[in-house]
Amino acid sequence: MTDIAALPEPHPATPRPTRSYLGAGSDLRSWLLTTDHKRIAILYALTLTLFFFIGGAAATLIRIELITPAGDLVSADSYNKLFTLHGVIMVWFFLVPAIPTTFGNFILPMAVGASDVAFPRLNLLSWYLTVAGGLLALVSLLVGGVDTGWTFYTPYSTLYSNSYVTLAAAGVFVAGFGTIATGVNMIVTVHVLRARGMRWMRLPLFVWSIYATSIIMVLATPALAVALLMIVVDRLFGLSLFDPDQGGDPIIFQHVFWFYSHPAVYIMILPGMGVVTEIITCFARRRVFGYEAMVFAILGIAIFSFFVWGHHMFVSGQSAWASLVFSILSFVVAVPSAIKVFNWSATLYGGHITFEASMLYALGFLGLFTLGGLTGLFLASIPIDVHVHDTYFVVAHFHYIMVGAMVTAFFGGLHFWWPKVTGRHYSEPWARLAAILMFVGFNFTFFPQFILGYLGMPRRYHSYPPEFQIWHVLSSAGAVILALAYLVPLVYLTLSLRYGRRAGDNPWHASGLEWATTSPPPRDNFVIPPTVDTDPYAYHAAHEEPSERDESGGDHQSSRKDEMP
């Protein structure tokens, strides 16, 4: 898309939308029955925020328990239920749906020039399915709890656990259908509702990331549904699918579960990559370096994610040859991720960078994702993985990618599109402080866990040898900073709804069709359907002087630092 800041102001006779999506009825019924993709995105955001803080409360109790070596806050059984509560809620009801259902819902239709998603009623149904699944999971975890961990590993979950496994698995099962519905909606919207002139290689990279994520959702989530259904059927009817004494095989569950759950890692992180790309190119004032390479890297990650599930099972008894193949593929899938890191860095190089809060979050993502990815290569190596399997090293790696990188990207997108969503600005100094606190607090919390894991501290233990205490104390102290970094934005963003100054249609001078409409947008997004006639991210071209172009009209990078518009 063209740089909106470089476009002339609309002709006075051009009709302008006057009523935002927020003004289309304010009663509860109008929200609960809405088919407006923007309102559904708000419903998702409120729901996921609630789940985020429930999961965070469980994490807080875990970190308090681990300050001392003895299990003196909760019993071993209660501790098992705490980390299961934390994992189930955070993975299935925040991390997986977070960006596709919020920014994907709100921004993607506008970014492709559409008035809504392809199936508005299905979009609303997906939210109800997510809420219903979340309530089932919460009921199971609150009435008595589940002690299996978020992975529901068999045969413990089918034969030995007396907790509410069936209800929790049913909750995740129901929410999975909401995930599939969202994926179908995003795929069809991108295919059939693009604006005139919006060719595939003119799509914003955020749209590409949601599109690739949606493919994973649609293809992989049924595998999770099958795995959970087998657990429920086994527990209810005693089919002994996973009981070795009756001819069952617990390893089958791991294969089916990880066939979904490793691609699910990219359901969580791919949308974050798309968000960060939009932020970096905007505040570096440069077009994305290697747009085509970024597109193929996104698609490559989505494709290869289906072929590496076995690297979770190096100690599960699979053959040495299978482990070798999965190890090699795990290194291969890192290549497109490395391409993206290189392209982000190249986009920043020579850019006219400004450090708005969303840019600080994006830079934090870059550091956390790189460190998390590098430690992933450690776990792709069979000898190292065998040594650190089921230790805090794995916990730290997982959180660097899923929480450090993904949640940082989520907050970056929240600050980037907040003026568009609400029509209001937030406090930039407070937002910058929160971004810095999040980066510092996260590293303070989880980097000591790499050391803990290397030294041999197993995960999911509520008591431990005293020599590990210093690292747990550091981790718990960092969690205090991290909790503050999550709470501060809740305050200033809420206050901005009433006291924030009005935002213009395009306060960041960003490219993209979502910035070509009002803030907040009208019900149908655009008064006149947009037409696209340029490639995306034309920041640099919009700021070049005529003398900086060659005779054939090609663009050259300017060595002069132009002022931002």
Side-chain angles (χ1 to χ4, degrees):
M1 265 61 66
T2 56
D3 181 14
I4 303 302
L7 294 176
E9 290 296 319
H11 191 277
T14 301
R16 298 281 287 172
T18 57
R19 191 179 189 187
S20 80
Y21 75 98
L22 294 171
S26 58
D27 60 294
L28 183 61
R29 184 174 183 274
S30 70
W31 279 87
L32 295 180
L33 299 180
T34 184
T35 56
D36 184 354
H37 68 98
K38 299 178 290 297
R39 286 194 163 203
I40 293 171
I42 300 298
L43 292 174
Y44 264 116
L46 294 173
T47 303
L48 299 181
T49 299
L50 175 62
F51 286 133
F52 178 80
F53 281 104
I54 292 173
T60 300
L61 292 175
I62 292 170
R63 290 315 321 166
I64 293 173
E65 169 62 82
L66 293 173
I67 291 176
T68 58
D72 46 14
L73 178 64
V74 296
S75 66
D77 184 60
S78 297
Y79 186 79
N80 291 344
K81 293 176 180 179
L82 269 179
F83 68 67
T84 301
L85 169 64
H86 172 67
V88 168
I89 294 299
M90 293 299 281
V91 171
W92 307 120
F93 299 101
F94 179 75
L95 294 173
V96 167
I99 295 180
T101 60
T102 55
F103 304 137
N105 251 324
F106 199 105
I107 299 299
L108 183 140
M110 292 191 291
V112 300
S115 60
D116 209 317
V117 294
F119 307 114
R121 289 184 177 86
L122 182 64
N123 198 17
L124 180 62
L125 176 62
S126 71
W127 176 71
Y128 276 107
L129 288 171
T130 301
V131 171
L135 290 177
L136 281 173
L138 280 180
V139 168
S140 70
L141 297 167
L142 295 177
V143 296
V146 180
D147 59 1
T148 63
W150 68 276
T151 55
F152 299 106
Y153 264 12
T154 60
Y156 182 71
S157 62
T158 52
L159 292 178
Y160 307 114
S161 176
N162 295 318
S163 59
Y164 291 81
V165 177
T166 300
L167 199 55
V172 179
F173 181 85
V174 171
F177 284 96
T179 300
I180 295 172
T182 298
V184 169
N185 231 333
M186 297 297 131
I187 291 171
V188 178
T189 299
V190 173
H191 272 272
V192 304
L193 296 183
R194 301 195 308 275
R196 183 188 299 272
M198 177 72 81
R199 300 194 296 266
W200 283 99
M201 284 301 166
R202 286 180 175 172
L203 288 175
L205 289 168
F206 173 72
V207 174
W208 272 113
S209 71
I210 296 295
Y211 178 78
T213 300
S214 299
I215 292 174
I216 301 175
M217 287 177 172
V218 172
L219 295 180
T221 306
L224 173 68
V226 169
L228 296 174
L229 185 61
M230 287 193 293
I231 286 179
V232 172
V233 170
D234 204 323
R235 287 181 66 90
L236 292 180
F237 303 109
L239 297 186
S240 301
L241 296 173
F242 308 110
D243 183 1
D245 293 334
Q246 302 296 323
D249 187 357
I251 302 301
I252 290 177
F253 175 83
Q254 292 191 34
H255 278 291
V256 178
F257 180 84
W258 288 115
F259 182 80
Y260 163 80
S261 293
H262 193 84
V265 170
Y266 299 103
I267 292 177
M268 302 177 211
I269 198 62
L270 266 175
M273 293 176 171
V275 170
V276 166
T277 302
E278 300 299 317
I279 296 171
I280 286 177
T281 188
C282 175
F283 295 112
R285 314 311 301 176
R286 290 193 65 195
R287 64 184 65 191
V288 172
F289 181 88
Y291 171 87
E292 292 82 2
M294 293 282 268
V295 170
F296 289 116
I298 290 171
L299 296 177
I301 290 172
I303 293 169
F304 281 106
S305 68
F306 285 95
F307 300 101
V308 295
W309 77 89
H311 83 212
H312 295 272
M313 302 170 59
F314 288 154
V315 300
S316 297
Q318 67 183 3
S319 73
W321 287 109
S323 294
L324 179 61
V325 170
F326 283 121
S327 176
I328 294 171
L329 290 173
S330 299
F331 283 103
V332 170
V333 79
V335 174
S337 295
I339 291 172
K340 295 183 72 64
V341 172
F342 172 81
N343 285 21
W344 288 321
S345 302
T347 303
L348 290 168
Y349 180 76
H352 307 290
I353 300 172
T354 56
F355 296 97
E356 282 77 1
S358 51
M359 185 60 156
L360 293 179
Y361 280 112
L363 295 175
F365 168 94
L366 203 56
L368 296 175
F369 176 75
T370 300
L371 185 54
L374 288 174
T375 54
L377 297 179
F378 285 45
L379 297 175
S381 173
I382 297 173
I384 298 177
D385 183 84
V386 169
H387 173 64
V388 300
H389 189 82
D390 267 344
T391 70
Y392 266 86
F393 192 96
V394 177
V395 174
H397 161 72
F398 181 86
H399 282 81
Y400 260 84
I401 297 292
M402 297 300 98
V403 180
M406 182 271 165
V407 175
T408 299
F410 180 84
F411 273 84
L414 183 64
H415 288 76
F416 184 59
W417 283 304
W418 185 263
K420 177 58 59 179
V421 173
T422 66
R424 298 279 186 171
H425 279 289
Y426 48 82
S427 171
E428 190 68 33
W430 279 105
R432 289 172 179 167
L433 175 63
I436 295 170
L437 283 176
M438 188 174 296
F439 184 79
V440 173
F442 182 86
N443 282 286
F444 206 170
T445 302
F446 289 101
F447 193 84
Q449 295 181 16
F450 282 124
I451 302 171
L452 271 171
Y454 184 77
L455 294 176
M457 170 72 195
R459 63 178 177 174
R460 299 181 176 179
Y461 276 52
H462 82 309
S463 60
Y464 55 86
E467 58 263 30
F468 293 142
Q469 183 177 14
I470 181 61
W471 303 110
H472 278 298
V473 169
L474 287 173
S475 189
S476 296
V480 176
I481 302 174
L482 190 58
L484 186 63
Y486 291 147
L487 291 172
V488 169
L490 186 66
V491 175
Y492 65 72
L493 291 176
T494 302
L495 290 176
S496 75
L497 296 175
R498 182 176 180 86
Y499 301 108
R501 60 186 175 89
R502 296 283 182 177
D505 294 347
N506 188 6
W508 311 128
H509 303 290
S511 71
L513 288 180
E514 72 268 27
W515 301 105
T517 187
T518 56
S519 298
R523 169 61 179 88
D524 294 323
N525 297 337
F526 305 97
V527 173
I528 300 175
T531 299
V532 178
D533 56 8
T534 60
D535 292 334
Y537 310 116
Y539 287 105
H540 189 67
H543 292 86
E544 287 180 344
E545 299 294 339
S547 60
E548 291 167 344
R549 298 175 182 268
D550 62 21
E551 295 181 355
S552 63
D555 295 341
H556 288 299
Q557 180 175 333
S558 171
S559 60
R560 182 174 63 83
K561 292 188 177 295
D562 298 332
E563 294 294 325
M564 281 186 61

